[in-house]
Amino acid sequence: MSAANNNEKEVTIYDIAAALNISAATVSRGLKNHPAIRQTTKDRIFAQAERMGYRFNTFARNLRTKRTYTIGVIVPRLNSMFMSDVLAGMEKISNEAGYELIISQSLETMEKEKKNAATMFNNRVDGVLVSLAYTTTDIDHFRRFIDKNIPLIFFDRAFEHPHCPNVVIDNHKAAYEMTTHLIRQGCRRIVHIAGHLNRDVYALRLKGFQEALADNGITFDEDALIVNNLGIADGVLAAQHMLSLPERPDAVFAANDTCAVACMQELKRNGLRVPDDVRVAGFNNDPIATVVEPNLTTIDYRGHEMGEVAAKTLINLLNGVGDLQAAAIVLRHHLIIRDSTQRKKLTEHENKNN
Amino acid sequence: MSAANNNEKEVTIYDIAAALNISAATVSRGLKNHPAIRQTTKDRIFAQAERMGYRFNTFARNLRTKRTYTIGVIVPRLNSMFMSDVLAGMEKISNEAGYELIISQSLETMEKEKKNAATMFNNRVDGVLVSLAYTTTDIDHFRRFIDKNIPLIFFDRAFEHPHCPNVVIDNHKAAYEMTTHLIRQGCRRIVHIAGHLNRDVYALRLKGFQEALADNGITFDEDALIVNNLGIADGVLAAQHMLSLPERPDAVFAANDTCAVACMQELKRNGLRVPDDVRVAGFNNDPIATVVEPNLTTIDYRGHEMGEVAAKTLINLLNGVGDLQAAAIVLRHHLIIRDSTQRKKLTEHENKNN
């Protein structure tokens, strides 16, 4: 029975040295890829270490360097298509740089977010990547990181703080572009469905929406603003609200695709044609946007890229090559116009039949 | 300037003791919630610890207990709706039990999966939750966990091993039910789109498909099997293959919803009516299933629940209350019949107009 089968006893460099009949110092240097050790010897050492189930002492290295090579990630919800793209991007970059991700979710509440932050702190993560919960009103629970110069980066749902770079898109501009597009299509009574307005992403999208209206001489009407959780049920309720208004809206722009699609489906169930009777626009470019009929006009922004950039920025800070003074990294977004807001051009086939 | 603002010096119980003018022993016992310390004193100690940025010594506790209170999770891809549900379930259970999740992705290759496993091992995770990559052919890279009695659980894409419980659904039965449903709808030439057949989930679904055919006296035709990566482009190609067959299939059953929906859309683009000309079924019950028109018949299985059960099973093993001999935990699945396989019943409204 080999030492590896004994879960009490840890395999040491002395065990490897004994098995190979060489000195422990040679094993130690070999494992560290020391230039004085010949490659053939190194190969034998590594093969033996593998065979015996030796654990490279990441844990001890961490104690020496005072780094844990872990990055804490706190997101509102793990089960969102956008967030899963973000995490995939973060994992790719972190893994390549030798860092592990410790991931937790706030479930949209400040209370859980506080607990997540405390756990990350006590686990001595080297840095933290955070996207804020709906109900978070301040960031005092992250102060201990800032006080200890542990890099903290907000991504997507961000917060302005002199020591915390943000990785975001220009939500204000994106919403302005979408609203302008709807106005150019002839819409005048546009409803906006926003998420919690204490999150910057939703407040900024509302601002962009309102500014585009003002720039086109359209008065913003309180009836045209719906604030909810942007879920499926919320989209259905929003459609019902729209249908109950004395003057029917000619467009709806929701702050995410889930809500836009649910709203569109309820409007269609009530006999409205999209885009002829009402135009519908979303935000995120989730997979459902190209599945729903008609396909959904939306704002595309790459979660994977946002995750990569946030992780890269953090790792640069950890390696002393980053600049904490950079206030924000603003990523590109794209207005994707599809059939839900623009009458379909006749295809060659349809043309022939007309 | 408080000690918390100095990122070099770690706040100790002695600092807290000095600040409160009490003994370090009292602080130490207070932080451990020792019954001999009065509640008011404990409150003062905790408030001061918080104020000074004291880090509860999770790290030192871990050295003592030889546990790290981390669970390693290796998934094929983070950016999948199903997997993000699984992770949300795992995070919920782990977090409640005081464990953190270290998450990495194999990007569907055995090579990366090997690296992920090595990193998890060297980071001394207490246990591992794994869903296997497409190209994985054996699990030798997980042997070091098994040799050290570090609990290892396979979920969804599993692998039979006497020391590794599996958390799965009955893929064979689910596919058998789906195929039987299609046959009952009158289908005889049914195409099955499978994923890599060295993953049990896809091999078992194919088996269930074939068995249902056999039980209904339908001969399995090699032309009716397409094996691909189950992505969007694969669904489009599958539809084109179907259209090129001498005798057109009357149904297609894909091993995931992404591929089923892409295939359905391409069939529709080519003028086929769903379900009248061809019936389409998927697997997973992703959000797109209720967005595509007609809505997709599929197999529902709860990723969140699978994540919860996998994490619970692992934590029970870590706490010595689990049973490593349990070969598999099989979760419930549900056949969800929607309009893509069954002609819509006329609604009251349509009835009136007919």
Side-chain angles (χ1 to χ4, degrees):
Chain A
M1 195 171 158
S2 83
N5 287 324
N6 182 335
N7 72 320
E8 287 308 312
K9 196 168 159 289
E10 189 76 38
V11 175
T12 66
I13 57 166
Y14 301 98
D15 300 321
I16 299 169
L20 294 174
N21 202 19
I22 57 179
S23 77
T26 303
V27 173
S28 170
R29 290 194 290 176
L31 289 172
K32 285 174 195 144
N33 202 22
H34 193 288
I37 310 294
R38 276 185 306 171
Q39 192 55 48
T40 49
T41 310
K42 282 178 193 166
D43 291 345
R44 284 176 58 220
I45 293 169
F46 275 101
Q48 187 65 28
E50 175 82 27
R51 208 151 38 231
M52 296 175 78
Y54 174 76
R55 291 207 274 198
F56 293 88
N57 216 334
T58 311
F59 212 60
R61 177 192 71 167
N62 296 349
L63 279 178
R64 274 199 308 276
T65 61
K66 290 196 170 184
R67 283 203 191 180
T68 59
Y69 292 90
T70 54
I71 294 171
V73 184
I74 303 174
V75 301
R77 288 191 307 116
L78 281 165
N79 50 340
S80 113
M81 200 60 224
F82 172 74
M83 209 46 88
S84 72
D85 277 338
V86 169
L87 291 175
M90 287 178 175
E91 197 275 347
K92 183 171 172 285
I93 296 299
S94 306
N95 196 284
E96 285 167 8
Y99 286 83
E100 300 303 307
L101 295 185
I102 296 188
I103 300 178
S104 67
Q105 56 188 346
S106 63
L107 298 173
E108 297 287 11
T109 73
M110 183 173 182
E111 195 193 0
K112 177 100 193 290
E113 193 176 270
K114 281 182 181 176
K115 282 184 199 157
N116 294 340
T119 308
M120 298 284 179
F121 186 77
N122 292 327
N123 273 292
R124 301 177 186 230
V125 293
D126 292 342
V128 200
L129 300 165
V130 179
S131 186
L132 293 168
Y134 269 154
T135 65
T136 299
T137 48
D138 63 68
I139 60 159
D140 285 354
H141 46 304
F142 291 113
R143 249 206 53 201
R144 53 189 119 193
F145 295 106
I146 298 165
D147 287 345
K148 279 210 167 294
N149 280 344
I150 297 167
L152 168 64
I153 291 177
F154 292 107
F155 64 93
D156 195 45
R157 296 193 194 163
F159 200 97
E160 277 187 37
H161 185 284
H163 287 93
C164 306
N166 288 346
V167 179
V168 292
I169 59 160
D170 189 338
N171 287 287
H172 179 281
K173 189 160 171 248
Y176 185 94
E177 288 168 3
M178 179 62 85
T179 311
T180 305
H181 159 67
L182 291 170
I183 295 168
R184 286 204 185 127
Q185 296 292 309
C187 302
R188 286 297 171 272
R189 295 180 306 284
I190 310 171
V191 164
H192 180 56
I193 310 178
H196 282 227
L197 295 176
N198 50 358
R199 285 289 59 75
D200 62 342
V201 289
Y202 305 119
L204 288 166
R205 288 173 201 176
L206 173 59
K207 241 175 128 177
F209 168 73
Q210 290 172 317
E211 203 169 293
L213 293 185
D215 286 356
N216 287 277
I218 302 172
T219 313
F220 170 72
D221 179 358
E222 284 296 338
D223 260 1
L225 174 63
I226 300 170
V227 179
N228 60 32
N229 288 327
L230 297 176
I232 292 172
D234 303 304
V236 172
L237 287 174
Q240 289 163 359
H241 168 76
M242 286 170 64
L243 292 163
S244 76
L245 292 175
E247 207 174 3
R248 206 178 60 209
D250 51 17
V252 53
F253 165 31
N256 79 10
D257 286 349
T258 301
C259 188
V261 165
C263 181
M264 190 204 290
Q265 288 184 310
E266 181 67 8
L267 292 171
K268 282 172 68 183
R269 267 192 293 272
N270 280 275
L272 266 68
R273 291 165 307 158
V274 178
D276 298 275
D277 297 327
V278 59
R279 287 162 209 264
V280 182
F283 208 107
N284 280 5
N285 201 20
D286 280 344
I288 48 167
T290 52
V291 170
V292 72
E293 291 182 26
N295 283 192
L296 187 69
T297 292
T298 189
I299 299 289
D300 180 66
Y301 72 119
R302 309 251 168 231
H304 205 279
E305 187 190 346
M306 184 173 276
E308 285 188 22
V309 171
K312 256 184 214 159
T313 307
L314 184 67
I315 290 165
N316 283 344
L317 287 172
L318 292 173
N319 293 336
V321 296
D323 179 6
L324 255 183
Q325 299 315 311
I329 296 168
V330 181
L331 303 178
R332 249 175 276 279
H333 66 266
H334 301 281
L335 170 64
I336 312 271
I337 297 170
R338 299 201 181 100
D339 295 342
S340 70
T341 61
Q342 192 160 276
R343 205 161 301 125
K344 201 185 269 181
K345 285 183 191 66
L346 292 178
T347 64
E348 212 177 303
H349 173 77
E350 287 168 322
N351 242 332
K352 254 184 271 171
N353 291 323
N354 274 306
Chain B
M1 193 170 162
S2 83
N5 287 322
N6 181 334
N7 72 318
E8 288 307 315
K9 195 169 160 290
E10 189 76 37
V11 175
T12 66
I13 57 166
Y14 302 98
D15 300 321
I16 299 169
L20 294 175
N21 201 21
I22 57 178
S23 78
T26 303
V27 172
S28 170
R29 290 193 290 174
L31 289 173
K32 285 175 194 144
N33 202 24
H34 193 289
I37 311 294
R38 274 185 306 171
Q39 191 57 47
T40 50
T41 310
K42 282 179 194 166
D43 292 345
R44 283 175 60 219
I45 293 168
F46 274 101
Q48 186 65 28
E50 175 82 27
R51 209 151 39 231
M52 295 174 79
Y54 174 76
R55 292 208 270 198
F56 293 88
N57 216 335
T58 311
F59 213 59
R61 179 193 68 167
N62 296 349
L63 278 179
R64 273 199 309 277
T65 61
K66 290 195 170 183
R67 282 204 191 179
T68 59
Y69 292 92
T70 54
I71 294 171
V73 185
I74 303 175
V75 301
R77 290 191 306 116
L78 281 165
N79 50 341
S80 114
M81 200 60 225
F82 173 73
M83 210 44 91
S84 73
D85 276 338
V86 170
L87 292 175
M90 287 178 175
E91 197 274 347
K92 183 171 171 286
I93 297 298
S94 307
N95 196 284
E96 285 167 6
Y99 285 82
E100 300 303 307
L101 294 185
I102 296 187
I103 300 179
S104 68
Q105 55 187 348
S106 63
L107 297 173
E108 298 286 11
T109 72
M110 183 173 183
E111 194 193 2
K112 176 99 194 291
E113 193 176 271
K114 281 183 181 176
K115 282 184 198 156
N116 294 341
T119 308
M120 297 285 177
F121 186 77
N122 292 327
N123 272 291
R124 300 177 185 230
V125 292
D126 293 340
V128 201
L129 300 166
V130 179
S131 186
L132 293 168
Y134 269 154
T135 65
T136 299
T137 48
D138 63 68
I139 60 159
D140 286 355
H141 46 304
F142 292 112
R143 249 207 51 200
R144 54 188 117 193
F145 296 106
I146 298 164
D147 288 345
K148 278 210 169 294
N149 281 345
I150 297 167
L152 168 63
I153 290 177
F154 292 107
F155 63 93
D156 195 44
R157 297 195 194 161
F159 199 97
E160 277 187 36
H161 185 284
H163 288 91
C164 307
N166 287 347
V167 179
V168 293
I169 58 160
D170 188 337
N171 286 287
H172 179 283
K173 187 160 171 248
Y176 185 92
E177 287 167 3
M178 178 64 84
T179 310
T180 305
H181 159 68
L182 291 170
I183 294 168
R184 287 205 184 128
Q185 296 293 307
C187 302
R188 287 296 172 273
R189 296 181 305 283
I190 309 171
V191 164
H192 180 56
I193 311 178
H196 282 229
L197 294 177
N198 50 358
R199 286 288 60 74
D200 61 343
V201 290
Y202 305 120
L204 289 167
R205 289 172 202 177
L206 172 59
K207 243 177 125 177
F209 168 74
Q210 290 172 317
E211 203 170 294
L213 293 185
D215 286 356
N216 287 277
I218 302 172
T219 314
F220 170 71
D221 178 359
E222 283 296 338
D223 259 2
L225 175 63
I226 301 171
V227 179
N228 60 32
N229 287 326
L230 298 176
I232 292 172
D234 302 304
V236 172
L237 287 175
Q240 289 162 0
H241 168 77
M242 286 170 63
L243 292 163
S244 77
L245 292 176
E247 206 175 2
R248 206 179 61 208
D250 50 18
V252 53
F253 165 31
N256 78 11
D257 287 348
T258 302
C259 188
V261 165
C263 181
M264 191 205 290
Q265 289 184 309
E266 180 67 8
L267 292 171
K268 282 172 67 183
R269 267 191 293 272
N270 281 276
L272 266 68
R273 290 165 308 159
V274 177
D276 298 274
D277 297 327
V278 60
R279 288 162 209 262
V280 182
F283 208 108
N284 280 4
N285 201 19
D286 279 346
I288 46 168
T290 51
V291 170
V292 72
E293 291 183 26
N295 282 193
L296 186 69
T297 291
T298 188
I299 299 289
D300 180 64
Y301 71 121
R302 311 249 167 232
H304 205 280
E305 187 189 347
M306 185 173 275
E308 285 188 22
V309 171
K312 255 182 216 160
T313 306
L314 185 66
I315 290 166
N316 283 345
L317 287 173
L318 292 172
N319 293 336
V321 296
D323 180 7
L324 254 181
Q325 300 316 312
I329 296 168
V330 182
L331 303 177
R332 248 175 277 280
H333 66 266
H334 300 281
L335 170 64
I336 310 271
I337 298 171
R338 299 202 181 99
D339 295 342
S340 70
T341 61
Q342 191 159 276
R343 206 162 300 125
K344 201 187 271 182
K345 287 184 190 64
L346 290 178
T347 64
E348 212 177 304
H349 174 74
E350 287 168 321
N351 243 332
K352 254 183 274 176
N353 292 322
N354 274 308

